[in-house]
Amino acid sequence: MKKSATLIVLLLFTLGSAFAQTQRVTGTVTAQDNNQGLPGVSVLVKGTSNGTATDGEGNYSLSVPPNATLVFSFIGYTSQEIVVGERSVVNVLLVPDQQALSEVVVVGYGTQKKSDVTGAISSVKEQEIAFRPVASAEQALQGKAAGVLITSNNGTPGEPPTIRIRGVSTVGNSNPLFVVDGMFVDNINYLNPADIASIEVLKDASSLAIYGVRGANGVILVTTKGGQAGQTSVTYDGYAGFSQVQNLIPMANSADYVTLNNEARRNSDPNNPNVPLIPASAAATNTNWYNEIFRTGYIQNHQLNVAGGSERLTYNVSANYFSQQGNVRTSDFERITLRFNNSYQATKFLKLGSNLAFTRFRSDNVPASVVQSAYLAPPTIPVRLPNGDFGFPTSENSGTTVANPVAQLAFNDNFTRGARLVGSVFADVNFLKYFTFRSNFGLDANLDRTFDFVPQYRVSAFQFSERSRLTKGYSVGSSLLWENTLNFTRTFNDAHNVTVLAGITSQRIQGETFGGTRNDVPGYSRSVQYLNLGNEVGQTNSDGGFVFTYLSYLLRVNYSFLDRYLLTASFRRDGSSRFPASNRYGNFPAIGVGWRISEEAFMKNQTVVSNLKLRASYGLLGNTNIQDYLFIPKIAPNLNPIFGQGQTPQPGATELNPVTSNLLWESVRQLDIGMEVGLLANKLSLEVDYYDRTTSDMILNVRRPGGIQIDENAARARNRGVELSARWNDKTDFGLTYSIAANLTTVNNRVLDLGNGGVAIIGGSLGNGRNATFTDVGNPIGAFWGYQVAGVFQTADQVRGGAQPNAQPGDLIFRDQNNDNRIDGDDRVYLGSPLPSVFWGFNSNLAYGAFDLAFDLQGTHGNKIYNGRRALRFGNENYEQSVMNRWTGPNSTNADPRVTNGGDNYEVSDYFIQNGGFVRIRNVQLGYRFPKTLLDRVRLKALRVYVNALNPVTITQYKGFSPEVGSQA
């Protein structure tokens, strides 16, 4: 660390010396439409990378060479060029640009003006994700891009969310590809949100085809912040806060638990007059297990950034520390990120640059089942006994087999440590006026270490460890990417604009995992907990790995005529070692067209519509997110048959996974039809897209005649829907600046073909021998499947002669769907989908004087959740408080059954299906910027303080912890 700090100081000193040869220019940039200072205006010395941006009041200061020309540009306003001459003060009045289409968005392997884009791209800029107190960049994106559904999986610190773009495209891996500063990565866990300059989400074939086989599930392009030519700036951002668990499920207290448990025992064994019951005295202990394992969490984030540059060299250096104390006791996450981005104009035609990030993290993990244990553990069990030992179930207090969750945490010593280096270096060569060649080399390398020590302990007859056990694991991985592209750009006769991109790329991804386990390792200190100190007898070890490669050729042509008629044609040929040699290469073409109607002559004499563009695209994409080596037979060793003289075990091995040598790419065909509208000088902007994407040759594990199961291309699925997004930007006469944005997406997901004789895919194991999901033709992927409930049997006469002869009064009535007077598997029907049919986001930012307010909303609708917690009963677990509304006699209720320990009431049915839709306030933030006159006294450029509430309110009908668990597949 000392050496790095020294390098930075020397660099800043050198830059300071360079600035001494220039003159200082200051001024104010004002908007013509309201005579207010414009913040964030780009001020650049023409022909160089030397520049700055105006502050919150429109002021700027810049060192420039003699006789410089300054270029002032801002989105929504016409750019101006002004010769400085000998002036030291240059004030500028910017005029609104009625076209307001100069915004530049990042696309695959380059940038484009928003007005020239023929594809469906959602762009989220720095100011829309800044200051959000979240651990990951994905969370900052929630609710801000149409077609993008981001759901938090659980409350584990550092756990990344799940992202789905335009639905679920496969029964396999539907995760999108991330491209950070040109480097392909599978996740952005390492990325600090404060380092992000922009995020673009590519969604249709026209924008995605350039990524070919990697683009089937969408691509998220992340551009991190670079330096700006001008004065060196040092910025600190920090926040700290607290978190609490919301929507805790009310559980039965001890008295109610004793009542319900004894009632369940009698109902489950009605003919036994000697059913053992829990004595009323057990209710004297009333443990709230939630209180015992949950705590108020703490989160803090500190970011230090140094940026600046000269005409030839720009740099951006940042250091970030993030820490999150989880809401489950002993769970913690800590991350340190260092980033160095720079660019260097070595000569007039050669530019060099790098984008490097190094991350180290630490995660103290808790048992995955500890929250479930707190949900199930009876309140009659004490946390500890009078002698200090942990409490455990007895025949007097419950006799359950649920673990003491506090003991689980006490005897848990599990952590993960890791380091990751991600970055790229590039060289741009400009030649023959119209050509640019770029060579980019990227690296993603990681090293992770896991540690899990279980001491010798005993809580009860089922919660114990007779011997200590140490498990250690290591994983190393690397991804090397080398891309070479040639770009040609030229305008012919002031009417024809042509850009051609051609390139070749290669990537090698490999990884290795190894580890081992031994018993009887001493437990008094981590410093001496090594595997070689344990017992060799019974030890286990593991070693595994993978390697696969890509080789790709790409071509894209962008053409526009008179800035009105647009064409984008893309082609990529991909080869991947994940497929057999006969099918290793695939071709992925796409075409997109656009018509800027607002540029036609008949639109010139009106002032309402400032932008109107129609666009459409169609193309083929591929999916390579499959398991490794599916086409290679695997031999299972240590299968020792008994035969021969003496019938003794003989060494043996056999092939257990039959394979096909005809494995193909999963292919995605996508149609997109879109319209972009800008009204009232683009104060109001609208976008609407209709999309239709079909996945073919989906890889499934298919059962063939003879019971053989084989992975092959067998299925088709379809996602289609509509995306809407709108934004209004304006400033009132009394100084209120505001921006309001909203987006809405509909998704219709259906399986078209399973290719295996109509045999549905059964999944969603509940751990009790039952399965809740059924992927079948005509239904969504991962759909819920089970019985429909028609009420509760009230009397024995109602049961008699019905379709459920073994039922008792108080049991659920299942609908006889085929009217054969018998309830069996043929009566199970579609019960809903875990995938939302509609999801939306609403975001607003307001600023008045020194105050600003940000408000984010998000919602999903149409999805169902199978409340598996309520459906799992093995004996004497605790009950939710709502179970007190159970059936207790004729006409007591027709909604909730009697309590039992097992039985048909726990079959998969819509009794356990709940509405998974929700509306959530994602973020509310109120900030205050200190006035410049005050900051000048302490030599600060800007100072802002704020208060923030993240996920403070959730409105939902779901009765579990969080409805987000049901909005993914």
Side-chain angles (χ1 to χ4, degrees), residues 198 240 255 268 289 301 327 513 598 639 721 903:
S198 69
S268 300
W289 291 106
N301 183 80
N327 290 114
T513 60
S598 54
L639 299 177

Side-chain angles (χ1 to χ4, degrees), residues 111 120 156 180 186 244 262 304 307 372 436 440 777 811 870 904:
T111 60
T156 302
V180 181
D186 290 332
Q244 290 183 323
N262 287 339
L304 184 64
Q372 180 77 348
T436 301
N440 182 82
V777 174
D811 286 344
R870 298 187 63 185
D904 291 343

Side-chain angles (χ1 to χ4, degrees), residues 114-134:
K114 175 67 173 174
S115 57
D116 292 339
V117 172
T118 61
I121 300 177
S122 292
S123 182
V124 180
K125 301 303 182 183
E126 171 191 351
Q127 57 270 25
E128 298 180 67
I129 60 177
F131 308 119
R132 268 55 174 183
V134 293

Side-chain angles (χ1 to χ4, degrees), residues 502-572:
I504 180 172
T505 79
S506 62
Q507 187 176 16
R508 176 184 175 90
I509 303 173
Q510 64 182 25
E512 183 177 1
T513 60
F514 52 94
T517 299
R518 279 192 182 185
N519 296 320
D520 304 326
V521 175
Y524 48 83
S525 174
R526 276 187 184 176
S527 61
V528 294
Q529 288 176 334
Y530 296 99
L531 292 176
N532 65 349
L533 298 179
N535 196 325
E536 294 184 11
V537 178
Q539 69 176 342
T540 61
N541 56 71
S542 62
D543 185 18
F546 63 89
V547 58
F548 55 91
T549 58
Y550 294 98
L551 179 63
S552 307
Y553 308 89
L554 57 95
L555 177 68
R556 181 176 63 209
V557 178
N558 293 101
Y559 170 76
S560 69
F561 176 62
L562 297 175
D563 283 333
R564 301 177 201 168
Y565 312 110
L566 312 173
L567 171 69
T568 301
S570 304
F571 176 82
R572 181 160 176 145

Side-chain angles (χ1 to χ4, degrees), residues 268-339:
S268 300
D269 196 4
N271 298 320
N272 183 3
N274 299 316
V275 173
L277 301 177
I278 302 176
S281 59
T285 298
N286 190 23
T287 302
N288 186 322
W289 291 106
Y290 289 156
N291 290 344
E292 299 299 330
I293 71 162
F294 288 131
R295 66 183 175 186
T296 297
Y298 178 71
I299 184 173
Q300 62 174 316
N301 183 80
H302 304 279
Q303 169 94 0
L304 184 64
N305 194 87
V306 179
S310 65
E311 296 180 17
R312 301 181 66 178
L313 172 69
T314 62
Y315 60 91
N316 190 304
V317 182
S318 68
N320 176 263
Y321 172 78
F322 177 84
S323 174
Q324 184 178 8
Q325 184 185 73
N327 290 114
V328 177
R329 299 181 190 276
T330 74
S331 64
D332 295 283
F333 177 79
E334 185 178 62
R335 181 186 65 210
I336 298 174
T337 303
L338 301 176
R339 174 169 288 278

Side-chain angles (χ1 to χ4, degrees), residues 800-816:
R800 193 174 299 113
Q804 296 170 248
N806 296 324
Q808 298 293 325
D811 286 344
L812 294 174
I813 302 173
F814 298 136
R815 292 189 183 277
D816 184 8

